Amino acid sequence: MYHVKTMNKISKIGLAELDERFEISDTMEHEDAILVRSAKLHDYDFPAELKCIARAGAGVNNIPLDRAADAGIVVFNAPGANANGVKELTIAALLLASRKISQGITWVKEQSAAGADVAAVVEKGKSAYVGPEIMGKTLGVVGLGAIGVLVANAAAALGMKIVGYDPFLSVRHALNLTPGVEIVDTLPELYAKADYITLHLPMNDATRGTINEAAFAAMKDGVRIVNLARGELVDTPALKAALASGKCAAYVTDFPNSETAAMEGVVAIPHLGASTPESEDNCAMMAAREVKDYLDNGSIINSVNLPNLTMAWAAKTRVCVISKGADAAAIAGAVPAVVASASNTRGEYGYTILDTDAAVDEAAIAAIPGVLRVLTR
């Protein structure tokens, strides 16, 4: 029996991926696995039994990845499972950035509450909420992963010219891009061309404050920016100055803070990017499958902190070893009569799968310097 703790409300359709061998509860103790959405785990005391954490979504800022890796805990995410939901909201955000739709709706409600003749007032006041069409404009897509590619293709279908930037663009994602998308080598190149910019990149130390004072200086006057990725990608003081000067005509974000939400020219959305029934189901299903495959087979797919690795079963016993700076030969030598093996590394971490029909001394493997965790199946 495996014990699974849910840290948020997880879709029942996703949980149905786990069979009767999995006991699931939001009060579980000594859990083998955690399924989480937005709950913050940085201060969570990991039990010794915890083997994996699956984030039912893409971002993992709420999980201490390094601490988990050093404890031999695999962290998974669900890349692409919510991509369509975020894509659709991004298209809506582009229109919100252009047409002052949300501001106009608020104004109409205010007129009605004040007792005005709404039908007459709107004809006089609507000019304050005009804005340009997106057709024929250039959209700069920063980050061409699962979401960025869908956004680029959808915006192209609406008649926009697309300029993309992603230093880590995969062949698979490149092949999925609609013909005619221009790929540039640097962000300043994208900034100089784009009338609109949409961000679809992870938030980490390297990307924090990507949109800063220097970035705004390289952009066109009146640029409109959509940020449905993470709020910290945009430097708040630089944004405030750009909006005040007119350098930035509009900013639509799914990650507002107290300061940005109050700024003129900002449309603040309450983190709705993946808040669709379809996205929640898809993310939960992917996360549950990752947990099940790891606990059953030792397969690591979509890990964000440890090496990814899968191998077909070749014997009755499978030994899985997570290590950090350990001697690979010593690990292999500690498992007798190995029938098949595979290994992979991610930075200083290693992961090895060894199949054997012989008896295995798990404690002897765990005693090898640098071995973080040993699991036999």
Side-chain angles (χ1 to χ4, degrees):
M1 177 71 72
Y2 294 121
H3 300 95
V4 179
K5 185 171 187 175
T6 55
M7 302 294 286
N8 298 98
K9 184 179 179 181
I10 304 296
S11 159
K12 291 182 179 179
I13 291 178
L15 295 179
E17 295 289 325
L18 303 176
D19 56 41
E20 67 279 357
R21 296 172 301 118
F22 293 81
E23 183 181 355
I24 305 168
S25 170
D26 60 359
T27 59
M28 185 69 66
E29 295 182 348
H30 307 292
E31 63 271 19
D32 297 291
I34 289 174
L35 289 173
V36 63
R37 291 178 62 197
S38 59
K40 291 179 172 57
L41 301 184
H42 288 280
D43 296 324
Y44 187 72
D45 187 13
F46 294 146
E49 296 85 353
L50 183 61
K51 301 169 182 66
C52 60
I53 300 169
R55 162 79 164 94
V60 289
N61 301 80
N62 56 320
I63 303 171
L65 301 183
D66 291 341
R67 180 161 69 92
D70 285 338
I73 299 168
V74 185
V75 179
F76 301 101
N77 71 344
N82 60 10
N84 187 71
V86 179
K87 175 206 74 177
E88 290 186 0
L89 190 62
T90 302
I91 297 302
L94 289 171
L95 298 172
L96 290 171
S98 277
R99 305 290 292 275
K100 297 186 179 179
I101 298 167
S102 63
Q103 298 94 323
I105 291 171
T106 299
W107 176 75
V108 170
K109 292 285 188 181
E110 291 171 348
Q111 299 307 303
S112 177
D117 180 349
V118 171
V121 168
V122 295
E123 290 303 317
K124 294 180 180 179
K126 67 181 182 181
S127 61
Y129 305 100
V130 299
E133 299 177 12
I134 63 174
M135 184 175 180
K137 306 303 191 302
T138 297
L139 173 65
V141 182
V142 182
L144 291 167
I147 296 171
V149 168
L150 290 181
V151 168
N153 293 348
L158 292 173
M160 300 191 80
K161 301 172 185 176
I162 311 300
V163 177
Y165 169 79
D166 190 332
F168 307 105
L169 178 62
S170 71
V171 173
R172 178 170 62 89
H173 286 140
L175 291 174
N176 285 333
L177 281 169
T178 192
V181 172
E182 179 185 359
I183 305 297
V184 295
D185 295 326
T186 67
L187 279 173
E189 290 178 81
L190 181 145
Y191 295 152
K193 295 172 180 286
D195 303 300
Y196 297 73
I197 294 170
T198 181
L199 305 179
H200 300 286
L201 65 165
M203 210 299 293
N204 51 46
D205 289 340
T207 62
R208 187 186 306 274
T210 292
I211 305 300
N212 52 28
E213 184 178 354
F216 278 117
M219 295 177 191
K220 289 184 176 182
D221 292 339
V223 66
R224 299 167 193 268
I225 298 175
V226 171
N227 177 15
L228 271 59
R230 282 293 182 271
E232 295 87 349
L233 295 170
V234 177
D235 179 75
T236 297
L239 172 66
K240 184 176 183 179
L243 287 167
S245 69
K247 182 70 176 186
C248 180
Y251 176 67
V252 183
T253 181
D254 206 22
F255 294 87
N257 59 44
S258 297
E259 191 170 359
T260 58
M263 292 180 188
E264 186 73 24
V266 171
V267 177
I269 303 171
H271 196 183
L272 298 180
S275 295
T276 68
E278 296 86 352
S279 287
E280 291 180 10
D281 289 347
N282 290 338
C283 288
M285 285 190 290
M286 183 179 288
R289 288 169 185 164
E290 291 164 347
V291 166
K292 184 176 185 293
D293 202 9
Y294 178 61
L295 295 179
D296 281 348
N297 303 307
S299 299
I300 298 183
I301 302 171
N302 296 325
S303 173
V304 293
N305 70 331
L306 289 170
N308 290 296
L309 183 65
T310 62
M311 187 179 83
W313 278 80
K316 66 179 183 180
T317 299
R318 170 158 288 186
V319 182
C320 302
V321 183
I322 298 172
S323 60
K324 183 179 183 181
D327 184 344
I331 293 173
V335 179
V338 173
V339 175
S341 66
S343 63
N344 195 14
T345 60
R346 183 184 188 129
E348 56 189 336
Y349 297 97
Y351 184 55
T352 305
I353 299 175
L354 306 107
D355 285 358
T356 180
D357 289 321
V360 175
D361 185 348
E362 190 172 309
I365 304 171
I368 297 172
V371 168
L372 302 175
R373 186 182 291 270
V374 182
L375 298 175
T376 57
R377 293 162 173 84

